[in-house]
Amino acid sequence: MSKSSGKVKAGQLWSKNKDELTKQLGELKTELSQLRIQKIVSSGTKLTKIHDIRKSIARVLTVINAKQRAQLRLFYKNKKYLPLDLRAKQTRAIRRRLSPEDASRVLEKTKKRQTHFPQRKFAVKHHQPPTQATMSADPLQVLASAGKGESTRGLLRVIILALIAGAAIASRLFSVIRFESIIHEFDPWFNFRATKYLVANGFYNFWDWFDDRTWHPLGRVTGGTLYPGLMVTSGVIYHALRALTIPVDIRNICVLLAPAFSGLTAVAAYLLTNEMTPSSSAGLLAALFMGIAPGYISRSVAGSYDNEAIAIFLLVFTFYLWIKALKQGSMLWGALCALFYGYMVASWGGYAFITCLLPLHAFVLVCMGRYSTRLYVAYTTWYALGTLASMQIPFVGFLPVKTSEHMPALGIFGFLQLLAFLDYVRSAIPSRQFQTFLWLFAGGTFGLGLLGLVVATSAGFIAPWSGRFYSLWDTGYAKIHIPIIASVSEHQPTAWPAFFFDLNMLIWLFPVGVYLCFQQLADEHVFIVVYALFGSYFAGVMVRLMLTLTPVVCVAAAIAVSTLLDTYLSVKTPKPEASQPAEAAEGKKAAKSGLKSTNKPVVGIYAVWGKSMMVSALAVYLLLFVLHCTWVTSNAYSSPSVVLASRMPDGSQHIIDDYREAYQWLRQNTREDAKIMSWWDYGYQIGGMADRPTLVDNNTWNNTHIATVGKAMSSREEVSYPIMRQHEVDYVLVVFGGLLGYSGDDINKFLWMVRIAEGIWPDEVSERAFFTQRGEYRVDGEATETMKNSLMYKMSYYNYNNLFPAGQAVDRMRQARLPEVGPTLSTMEEAFTSENWIIRIYKVKDLDNLGRDHMSAAAFDRGHKKKKATKKRGPRSLRVD
Amino acid sequence: MKTSAVFSALLSLLSLASAAGADSKSSDSSTTLPATFRPPQVFKNANLVHVISVEKNYVKENINVLVQNIDKAAQHEYFVPFAADQMARLGGVEVKDRKDSSAGPFVAEAVEFDQESDIQYLRITLPKPLAPGAQQTLGISYYLLKAYKPLPASIKQEDPQFLSFSFSAYCPSAYTTTKQKTEVKFPSSTIPDYTKLPGSGDIQEFPQKQGSKLTYGPFDEKPAGATQPVSVRFEFNKPVTHVSHLERDIEVSHWGGNVAFEERYTLHHRGANLSSLFNRVKWQQSQYYAPNTFALKEMKFPLRVGSADPYYTDVIGNVSTSKFRSNKREALLEIKPRYPVFGGWKYPFTIGWNSDAKNFLRKTAAGGFVLNVPFLEGPRQAEGVEYEQVQVRIILPEGAENVQYHTSVPAQSITEADVEIHRTFLDTIGRTALVIKARNLVDDFRDRELVVTYDYPLAAALRKPLIVFGSAVALFVSAWAVGNLELKFDATKK
């Protein structure tokens, strides 16, 4: 055969298939054995050939082997496991080595040690005169090496956070600088008054405070019907500063509390975001967004001394603690979370948001099959301690176990107990039995629980959903059923532009951030997703709830922006030509390591211009955002609304201070216990600034009482006078914007008074009667008789036409020419009108000395004849014994 | 630290006591006399001219009297009687020798004898006893507050205001008066009502009216205690401004080189009430047609030149209706109340300002400090302002000691002076505060000075920076120490 084949060339073998190779191998082997025989029997000459044949056999075998392995490789490609022989052999030590990820893993403790006590590196600096080339490379180098060290980064982070907190505080001080250190709006005046009471009378008296200067003659159990967190916080700060003998006025503490806490909120947002992503730039961005987002600033400018001032900080911080507790399964963090939850409950009614969101998060996690002991520990610790803490607040009391709003939290608490129990059972009994057990048990418990809830609700142990709750689902609900809630502008559904106004670019970054959360979807990302969903819905329902949406928007947007920045802002810019060989080398390596499927193709942005364009675009957006926030804050949210600003012809600022003029007049020149009747909007201000008892105020706990005032305002004098006498009213205060063109006046709010009164007395007050035949709401000569005779109309326009030449009286707010003859008042007299006529105060006349009714007495005074007795059949007048 | 504070307070109290003993005898030196006390008839008023000025919203009375000793012995105590209710409203008593201006103000003090008595006496101590038969001309001037009653008590907003004032045509005196006359000066010549008395001598009827002046007298000899009640009613279409309480704080800061003033006024209008309530339309119209009104619209505070950063607030907050004009010649603060203040109305407010310490503070050669501030810096109004209670509190730096004061405000008006401790701005032992209480002052005294001398050692000046620095260091050190504590249970055994 091929005896003279000679040496086999490996190169020729590759093209052969397996059979041919086996055949050749057989031939070679036979040849070898023949040669061996020759060697023994005779002294052959071909003995040297033995060596060649052996090598040939080896070559063939090698090729066979290699082909086989290649086939196997092909076969096992994309299979989960690779036969041991096919794996890279290397050395045993190398094979036993930890994977890079595992090797780089460090304990929490070690991590801390490294950050706090990093290894010091010393180097002798080599002095070298800078050359041109190094000069140009230096800045980049410096930039790249700056913030390399862990401690430098830590310091930088602290400095940046401090600056952000400073910016957050500073941007809220517009109103203090433009106007003065003054409490804004309406509700803050009550909080301010309550704080003063707390500081003056101590905590226990505050707790038991019964306030007989509001809701006359009912009074209000103020201590038990407020959220004391805000006042107590201010009181503690006040006493702490006093202890340091720093004489700070309590008013200044109240004014500056909200900005101070917004600084803390920025820090809390940083912490929360840091739990979401390893990139610390996201945290800093979130802090920045939180610090200056108008959605939050709207409720936290200096002077806006409302519950939200501290509640948003508590909200964000509680969420941070919850995430921390959940991630670590730590009771300590859970307890801290409960503590801050308790503080939150003490501060704001919006705590229900947390009460619903945390169970929802837990529920979603369980549904995703992520039940774990960490979740169990975190949730049960929070719920048990948090509920106990919340029940310490008198205003909350037993609500957490008695109302439907709190039931989800309780339900999830029970559900988690069941899961924990099942977990235990599963570990104890075989799986077949467990399945049956599970279905029976779970179904039974759920059914029982639901039944129990329904029974308890219908039996009245658990209060059904409240009206405020329904109004969250049906935006039209409040307008029909609870006009008081609907009459407040901040309870209206949000208009679309409001989102852009309050959040600007964050609103379109927000979905990106949520998407990025979906990509990772660890437990904490689920939280962001759930929160985003919930928050967006509620923010859409009520303008006011934009506030609860803002934190999650800031966090999500920060994640989005930081991901972008991290991608595009990598300082290590490999030059395109340098990266080519690097990539090739990479490719080789990949080929060498064979079937390793973990190797991802390396993608990156290498073009400097692309990077810089992206980064500069982002920078422009960020700058525009800052600009927008500053503009919104300065123009929309920094007006105290107690003081109005206008411009003089020469451009200088002119302050219209009518509210305080009138309130000060009331405070100084009326009896200490003179009762003031006004629409409820001004109740808190009268209590705070004028220090006089009021009939109704912004607490709105008694709808009937408010409706009574509404009825008095919207009825004829003959009807109103007995109402006012019965309520011992001494003065009536109305707000009138007709002279100045001030839109927030009582005539514009009048229809709400009518509506609320109509809700209680549909027979006596009718909204329709205030509209003309053509359905117009008018105040001029065409106004309806009901309108013209209503007390509110009379008080607003009384004496007003004397200010103008005859027949020229104009209401500048409603652009209406008023009738030539102004309204007459017989049961009350004008007591005070402020400089710009914004506030008008009337004194309710005492009973007539001669026993006449006021109409005839007034007619007599005007010089008219006494009316005939037979005509006396109008609405009733008060009979006094 | 506390004991040292008390100690230094005591020290300064002692020093004050010595100071008070030295130069102001007024505070607690009223002599107690038996209840049956009657002034001994040792003097005779040879000639007396009583000038009552009702031009401003307080009454200023001037009694120029030629007294003659008719006793055998030399006398040095002259008594002036007042009705009990007048005594409480009496202030700013100053007695001088009309002939000898260098004799300085004589000591005048209230006599304490019988609280129930209708007549109370003011005792004037002559510096040199008056020899028997000798004569001396005394000029006694004093002010009466809350002297008027509006008549009619309530008027319309646009009506002019009339006030009535009752007094005695014979000057009240504890001695026989040989010859006397009483002149009353009015703000205008509109005096619709005044009591007419039968004349004497060549004058038909008292009083004689000359423009805005009424003259009762001259009368012939009247016995001691003779009275002739008369009352006048005159137009006073200006606010009757009455400050029931003024608290004036002057805070001296050596480190800041600043003197801060703050004044808290409780202001009342004691004029006629409104008969019908305030009408804005009429008010706005009268602003153009008849700006003259009895309502208080504006107040002007001429502050010391160099005053800066004024503020004007009330209990609700800043009041925006104020103007401050400051240049090299003047520093005028013009404020308007939030609302025009009519009779019976009230308007409390606060003003404050700063000034450089060098305008008021001087270091003496001996190492102490001298602070010279005005005792009173109220508004300067044409119609005058009266102050019922005034409390001036001078807050000296922490650790100031050896406090003494001297003031040219009549000693009779000063009721109390005390050194207290005032704690503020990181104080440890508290600042030394000199509190002077006075009563029944008027704006005539607004430029009277108050001189306070005190020592302020360097150690006291350095106390606060050292303490603040020390506590900050202590805080950091303790934070560091707490941070270093290992509170964890360490699983790894070493």
Side-chain angles (χ1 to χ4, degrees):
Chain A
M1 286 196 14
S2 59
K3 276 173 193 170
S4 58
S5 59
K7 289 178 190 170
V8 175
K9 291 272 168 35
Q12 299 158 351
L13 292 175
W14 287 110
S15 53
K16 293 181 174 172
N17 63 15
K18 197 180 172 186
D19 291 340
E20 286 168 342
L21 284 172
T22 335
K23 201 174 140 207
Q24 190 172 6
L25 183 67
E27 284 167 4
L28 285 170
K29 278 190 172 165
T30 342
E31 199 175 348
L32 182 65
S33 61
Q34 282 170 355
L35 280 173
R36 289 238 164 91
I37 293 165
Q38 275 183 15
K39 186 187 165 189
I40 295 165
V41 287
S42 64
S43 52
T45 50
K46 292 176 182 171
L47 284 183
T48 47
K49 215 180 171 189
I50 291 179
H51 173 258
D52 291 344
I53 300 275
R54 283 181 65 193
K55 295 299 166 202
S56 300
I57 290 172
R59 281 191 188 106
V60 173
L61 277 173
T62 306
V63 171
I64 290 174
N65 219 353
K67 286 209 159 183
Q68 199 172 8
R69 283 175 72 93
Q71 291 298 320
L72 278 171
R73 280 239 154 78
L74 222 59
F75 178 71
Y76 281 109
K77 196 170 184 179
N78 299 330
K79 292 272 164 49
K80 194 172 180 187
Y81 297 110
L82 203 63
L84 286 178
D85 290 340
L86 291 185
R87 292 185 197 170
K89 182 161 165 47
Q90 297 172 312
T91 66
R92 189 167 187 272
I94 292 174
R95 289 201 306 272
R96 296 287 182 275
R97 212 153 58 184
L98 286 173
S99 67
E101 305 91 86
D102 284 340
S104 65
R105 242 170 228 173
V106 279
L107 280 176
E108 193 71 6
K109 186 179 166 189
T110 324
K111 208 192 276 175
K112 272 183 192 155
R113 196 168 57 213
Q114 279 167 353
T115 49
H116 294 310
F117 309 104
Q119 194 186 3
R120 298 278 185 271
K121 284 178 189 143
F122 300 100
V124 182
K125 198 179 169 192
H126 181 63
H127 183 71
Q128 187 184 20
T131 58
Q132 289 288 28
T134 49
M135 275 286 268
S136 62
D138 247 354
L140 254 182
Q141 211 75 40
V142 168
L143 211 68
S145 62
K148 269 284 168 57
E150 196 56 40
S151 62
T152 326
R153 278 173 180 230
L155 184 68
L156 268 178
R157 233 173 277 151
V158 169
I159 291 175
I160 293 174
L161 260 185
L163 286 176
I164 288 173
I169 294 169
S171 66
R172 284 162 169 80
L173 299 183
F174 275 109
S175 61
V176 171
I177 291 161
R178 285 212 193 123
F179 297 96
E180 58 183 279
S181 165
I182 186 183
I183 304 289
H184 290 197
E185 306 265 343
F186 304 104
D187 286 20
W189 277 101
F190 166 74
N191 297 326
F192 178 48
R193 176 162 165 254
T195 310
K196 283 200 285 189
Y197 187 89
L198 168 69
V199 167
N201 296 302
F203 183 70
Y204 286 103
N205 283 326
F206 176 66
W207 212 239
D208 298 334
W209 184 19
F210 178 81
D211 188 3
D212 58 353
R213 293 178 75 78
T214 52
W215 295 93
H216 183 82
L218 307 169
R220 174 184 171 194
V221 191
T222 313
T225 55
L226 52 62
Y227 292 102
L230 183 74
M231 298 100 196
V232 172
T233 307
S234 309
V236 166
I237 294 173
Y238 176 78
H239 286 301
L241 289 178
R242 283 280 148 149
L244 285 171
T245 65
I246 298 177
V248 179
D249 190 17
I250 184 72
R251 190 195 64 224
N252 286 327
I253 291 177
C254 294
V255 166
L256 296 177
L257 191 78
F261 266 85
S262 69
L264 291 178
T265 313
V267 177
Y270 167 80
L271 292 172
L272 179 63
T273 316
N274 264 3
E275 293 301 316
M276 302 297 156
T277 156
S279 156
S280 60
S281 70
L284 292 174
L285 279 167
L288 179 72
F289 292 158
M290 197 68 219
I292 61 172
Y296 175 38
I297 283 190
S298 65
R299 312 289 300 195
S300 65
V301 290
S304 175
Y305 181 57
D306 214 342
N307 292 332
E308 290 92 329
I310 63 171
I312 295 303
F313 162 68
L314 294 172
L315 184 83
V316 178
F317 201 69
T318 310
F319 286 154
Y320 160 69
L321 292 170
W322 161 250
I323 295 294
K324 200 85 184 166
L326 181 66
K327 274 171 110 175
Q328 305 202 351
S330 145
M331 253 192 222
L332 177 68
W333 287 103
L336 275 176
C337 179
L339 192 72
F340 273 85
Y341 172 72
Y343 191 5
M344 173 79 183
V345 177
S347 303
W348 191 36
Y351 74 87
F353 190 68
I354 302 183
T355 322
C356 292
L357 194 60
L358 296 195
L360 189 70
H361 181 211
F363 185 67
V364 170
L365 284 182
V366 170
C367 289
M368 288 170 78
R370 294 200 183 178
Y371 170 77
S372 63
T373 43
R374 287 181 294 114
L375 176 65
Y376 179 79
V377 169
Y379 188 84
T380 45
T381 314
W382 165 74
Y383 181 76
L385 291 179
T387 307
L388 281 179
S390 67
M391 287 165 77
Q392 305 308 310
I393 312 301
F395 193 27
V396 177
F398 281 94
L399 291 185
V401 289
K402 285 177 90 172
T403 56
S404 301
E405 286 95 330
H406 295 79
M407 283 303 117
L410 180 63
I412 297 295
F413 179 67
F415 186 48
L416 282 181
Q417 307 302 327
L418 282 184
L419 281 181
F421 176 65
L422 290 178
D423 225 25
Y424 167 73
V425 171
R426 181 161 57 181
S427 66
I429 60 173
S431 62
R432 175 60 58 85
Q433 290 171 15
F434 179 73
Q435 284 294 327
T436 348
F437 174 78
L438 178 70
W439 285 116
L440 281 178
F441 185 74
T445 326
F446 183 74
L448 273 179
L450 200 66
L451 196 71
L453 192 68
V454 169
V455 167
T457 311
S458 53
F461 290 115
I462 296 174
W465 303 103
S466 67
R468 279 182 196 249
F469 182 80
Y470 283 126
S471 64
L472 284 182
W473 303 113
D474 176 7
T475 49
Y477 181 88
K479 193 164 181 176
I480 304 161
H481 295 97
I482 333 170
I484 284 196
I485 291 184
S487 72
V488 180
S489 62
E490 62 184 19
H491 290 161
Q492 306 295 335
T494 317
W496 271 110
F499 283 99
F500 293 92
F501 188 70
D502 275 352
L503 299 166
N504 193 250
M505 70 161 190
L506 301 185
I507 198 64
W508 50 260
L509 283 169
F510 171 50
V512 182
V514 175
Y515 167 73
L516 287 172
C517 285
F518 260 112
Q519 276 204 323
Q520 297 176 313
L521 215 61
D523 292 355
E524 62 268 24
H525 300 113
V526 175
F527 178 74
I528 291 293
V529 172
V530 171
Y531 183 4
L533 215 63
F534 238 54
S536 313
Y537 176 76
F538 286 126
V541 171
M542 228 187 237
V543 180
R544 190 182 177 190
L545 292 180
M546 184 75 83
L547 201 58
T548 50
L549 176 68
T550 308
V552 73
V553 170
C554 290
V555 171
I559 293 174
V561 174
S562 86
T563 311
L564 277 176
L565 283 181
D566 285 352
T567 314
Y568 286 95
L569 204 61
S570 135
V571 181
K572 275 180 278 171
T573 320
K575 293 207 176 65
E577 59 270 12
S579 69
Q580 214 56 50
E583 212 166 354
E586 199 92 334
K588 232 180 217 172
K589 221 175 209 173
K592 234 182 187 177
S593 60
L595 301 179
K596 216 170 191 178
S597 57
T598 47
N599 274 336
K600 270 193 235 161
V602 179
V603 287
I605 296 94
Y606 296 106
V608 178
W609 66 269
K611 275 186 187 179
S612 55
M613 201 148 107
M614 193 65 204
V615 169
S616 50
L618 258 184
V620 167
Y621 274 124
L622 285 172
L623 286 176
L624 278 179
F625 175 67
V626 172
L627 215 64
H628 173 84
C629 290
T630 319
W631 178 80
V632 168
T633 311
S634 116
N635 283 308
Y637 293 136
S638 291
S639 164
S641 94
V642 177
V643 183
L644 311 170
S646 70
R647 296 261 162 227
M648 299 286 269
D650 62 349
S652 62
Q653 194 183 39
H654 175 65
I655 293 202
I656 294 169
D657 212 354
D658 279 39
Y659 280 97
R660 287 194 291 180
E661 178 188 347
Y663 292 144
Q664 178 74 329
W665 181 84
L666 272 178
R667 187 180 185 124
Q668 302 301 342
N669 301 315
T670 58
R671 261 190 7 259
E672 184 85 1
D673 60 343
K675 280 80 182 174
I676 317 288
M677 182 172 94
S678 72
W679 189 234
W680 61 263
D681 293 17
Y682 313 105
Y684 278 165
Q685 287 188 349
I686 294 172
M689 283 190 264
D691 192 26
R692 290 291 173 270
T694 51
L695 257 65
V696 291
D697 64 27
N698 312 42
N699 185 236
T700 65
W701 65 274
N702 189 330
N703 189 28
T704 315
H705 213 53
I706 290 179
T708 310
V709 172
K711 184 183 170 192
M713 294 288 195
S714 52
S715 307
R716 301 165 62 86
E717 268 188 88
E718 295 88 331
V719 180
S720 308
Y721 186 70
I723 296 177
M724 293 190 288
R725 294 290 300 181
Q726 282 157 359
H727 290 85
E728 298 176 312
V729 175
D730 294 293
Y731 293 92
V732 184
L733 181 145
V734 293
V735 176
F736 173 64
L739 181 67
L740 213 60
Y742 171 61
S743 62
D745 72 348
D746 275 348
I747 291 283
N748 280 2
K749 294 176 184 172
F750 192 32
L751 282 179
W752 286 110
M753 304 180 200
V754 173
R755 269 174 215 153
I756 290 169
E758 189 180 6
I760 306 286
W761 291 281
D763 302 338
E764 296 176 61
V765 185
S766 152
E767 186 183 345
R768 184 67 191 84
F770 290 85
F771 288 98
T772 57
Q773 288 294 320
R774 295 169 60 194
E776 289 170 318
Y777 179 64
R778 304 186 73 147
V779 293
D780 54 8
E782 306 289 304
T784 61
E785 278 309 302
T786 321
M787 180 77 187
K788 278 181 180 167
N789 284 321
S790 68
L791 195 66
M792 175 54 72
Y793 181 90
K794 284 184 167 184
M795 286 193 296
S796 291
Y797 294 109
Y798 180 72
N799 223 352
Y800 181 61
N801 52 351
N802 290 337
L803 210 57
F804 298 86
Q808 308 263 309
V810 173
D811 182 329
R812 294 189 184 129
M813 175 56 225
R814 287 155 282 269
Q815 306 303 337
R817 173 153 298 191
L818 298 170
E820 195 158 338
V821 181
T824 53
L825 276 171
S826 43
T827 56
M828 39 180 48
E829 50 189 336
E830 185 183 358
F832 188 82
T833 299
S834 64
E835 193 182 352
N836 299 299
W837 290 62
I838 290 185
I839 305 272
R840 309 201 66 186
I841 299 171
Y842 290 85
K843 190 178 196 313
V844 179
K845 279 187 189 164
D846 207 346
L847 289 175
D848 189 59
N849 278 339
L850 301 175
R852 300 169 294 183
D853 66 78
H854 283 101
M855 308 303 135
S856 48
F860 182 79
D861 287 346
R862 279 194 298 273
H864 297 312
K865 278 183 186 169
K866 198 181 171 186
K867 284 178 187 169
K868 280 182 194 166
T870 50
K871 278 190 84 180
K872 208 178 146 193
R873 60 181 157 85
R876 297 138 301 170
S877 60
L878 182 72
R879 272 195 300 275
V880 180
D881 316 300
Chain B
M1 205 157 278
K2 205 145 213 178
T3 50
S4 71
V6 171
F7 182 65
S8 76
L10 273 178
L11 259 184
S12 29
L13 259 179
L14 277 177
S15 66
L16 176 83
S18 64
D23 63 19
S24 66
K25 300 193 186 81
S26 67
S27 41
D28 50 352
S29 52
S30 310
T31 351
T32 312
L33 291 174
T36 54
F37 170 75
R38 290 279 173 280
Q41 294 294 317
V42 294
F43 284 109
K44 187 180 80 175
N45 297 331
N47 191 6
L48 188 147
V49 178
H50 187 191
V51 182
I52 301 174
S53 161
V54 295
E55 290 159 313
K56 300 205 171 179
N57 62 31
Y58 46 82
V59 173
K60 180 180 183 183
E61 296 193 26
N62 237 313
I63 302 175
N64 292 321
V65 55
L66 181 67
V67 299
Q68 186 180 7
N69 187 355
I70 52 170
D71 200 42
K72 304 259 179 333
Q75 294 294 335
H76 68 283
E77 283 185 343
Y78 183 85
F79 292 89
V80 185
F82 286 99
D85 72 309
Q86 277 185 332
M87 203 63 183
R89 298 184 280 117
L90 179 75
V93 178
E94 282 181 300
V95 184
K96 286 183 204 145
D97 189 332
R98 296 287 291 178
K99 295 274 158 58
D100 179 14
S101 57
S102 64
F106 299 170
V107 175
E109 62 204 346
V111 177
E112 258 177 39
F113 68 113
D114 179 9
Q115 296 296 331
E116 306 295 309
S117 169
D118 282 346
I119 305 285
Q120 301 284 331
Y121 294 99
L122 198 70
R123 177 174 53 201
I124 295 162
T125 311
L126 306 178
K128 276 187 296 213
L130 199 59
Q135 288 187 331
Q136 189 168 18
T137 314
L138 295 180
I140 307 167
S141 70
Y142 55 87
Y143 296 87
L144 275 180
L145 274 66
K146 299 201 264 187
Y148 310 123
K149 280 200 174 59
L151 195 72
S154 54
I155 54 176
K156 281 193 186 157
Q157 200 172 301
E158 62 274 18
D159 287 350
Q161 174 183 247
F162 289 91
L163 300 179
S164 77
F165 174 57
S166 305
F167 57 98
S168 166
Y170 307 154
C171 181
S173 176
Y175 310 101
T176 310
T177 309
T178 319
K179 190 183 164 199
Q180 64 171 308
K181 73 173 178 182
T182 299
E183 287 176 4
V184 191
K185 289 181 183 165
F186 292 95
S188 71
S189 56
T190 320
I191 312 162
D193 297 312
Y194 46 85
T195 312
K196 297 187 174 75
L197 297 176
S200 71
D202 52 349
I203 300 163
Q204 293 284 309
E205 187 188 53
F206 292 138
Q208 287 171 292
K209 188 175 178 221
Q210 294 162 309
S212 61
K213 192 164 98 175
L214 292 183
T215 310
Y216 288 94
F219 301 106
D220 45 12
E221 184 169 305
K222 300 289 172 205
T227 55
Q228 173 62 56
V230 292
S231 70
V232 293
R233 176 168 165 265
F234 55 97
E235 182 181 324
F236 190 86
N237 206 14
K238 286 179 248 179
V240 186
T241 321
H242 174 83
V243 176
S244 62
H245 208 88
L246 166 65
E247 288 174 29
R248 179 168 152 87
D249 284 359
I250 301 164
E251 191 163 358
V252 182
S253 160
H254 279 229
W255 277 104
N258 186 52
V259 181
F261 295 83
E262 181 170 294
E263 300 187 328
R264 294 178 288 277
Y265 289 86
T266 311
L267 185 141
H268 296 261
H269 188 309
R270 287 182 43 82
N273 290 6
L274 287 178
S275 59
S276 63
L277 294 167
F278 178 65
N279 187 324
R280 177 62 70 174
V281 175
K282 278 185 190 166
W283 175 255
Q284 277 174 334
Q285 283 164 354
S286 73
Q287 291 300 296
Y288 294 105
Y289 305 130
N292 198 13
T293 169
F294 68 102
L296 178 67
K297 289 192 291 189
E298 194 180 28
M299 278 176 280
K300 288 184 175 144
F301 294 76
L303 305 177
R304 285 288 180 92
V305 174
S307 301
D309 334 318
Y311 55 88
Y312 167 37
T313 63
D314 62 15
V315 68
I316 306 183
N318 180 46
V319 189
S320 51
T321 47
S322 66
K323 264 189 290 186
F324 183 60
R325 197 164 34 188
S326 175
N327 52 39
K328 273 182 191 150
R329 290 184 307 283
E330 61 171 353
L332 183 67
L333 176 64
E334 297 175 34
I335 65 170
K336 281 183 186 159
R338 285 193 192 273
Y339 44 86
V341 183
F342 284 94
W345 289 9
K346 184 178 143 196
Y347 185 70
F349 65 95
T350 301
I351 58 168
W353 64 93
N354 283 326
S355 187
D356 264 354
K358 67 172 194 290
N359 297 338
F360 299 100
L361 196 62
R362 197 151 292 132
K363 194 166 182 173
T364 60
F369 288 91
V370 179
L371 178 75
N372 185 347
V373 288
F375 191 88
L376 207 61
E377 272 182 291
R380 178 174 285 161
Q381 303 287 92
E383 69 275 8
V385 181
E386 57 182 31
Y387 302 90
E388 195 174 343
Q389 300 284 340
V390 178
Q391 177 191 309
V392 180
R393 190 164 64 153
I394 293 150
I395 301 163
L396 299 171
E398 195 177 15
E401 54 195 28
N402 211 2
V403 183
Q404 304 188 2
Y405 81 94
H406 169 79
T407 175
S408 51
V409 167
Q412 182 266 340
S413 277
I414 295 193
T415 52
E416 213 181 311
D418 212 351
V419 171
E420 290 175 358
I421 294 296
H422 177 74
R423 270 173 211 280
T424 170
F425 287 118
L426 302 174
D427 284 347
T428 39
I429 61 168
R431 303 182 185 200
T432 317
L434 169 66
V435 180
I436 303 173
K437 286 183 182 158
R439 55 168 202 171
N440 298 344
L441 291 177
V442 299
D443 61 351
D444 279 1
F445 295 114
R446 70 181 299 281
D447 288 323
R448 298 292 177 95
E449 60 188 13
L450 170 65
V451 179
V452 180
T453 61
Y454 59 93
D455 290 339
Y456 185 49
L458 183 68
L462 288 179
R463 174 186 286 118
K464 183 172 292 176
L466 288 181
I467 281 178
V468 170
F469 176 73
S471 9
V473 166
L475 191 71
F476 289 138
V477 166
S478 52
W480 174 78
V482 168
N484 267 13
L485 278 182
E486 190 70 52
L487 291 170
K488 272 188 232 155
F489 296 103
D490 202 346
T492 57
K493 293 271 175 340
K494 277 166 193 165

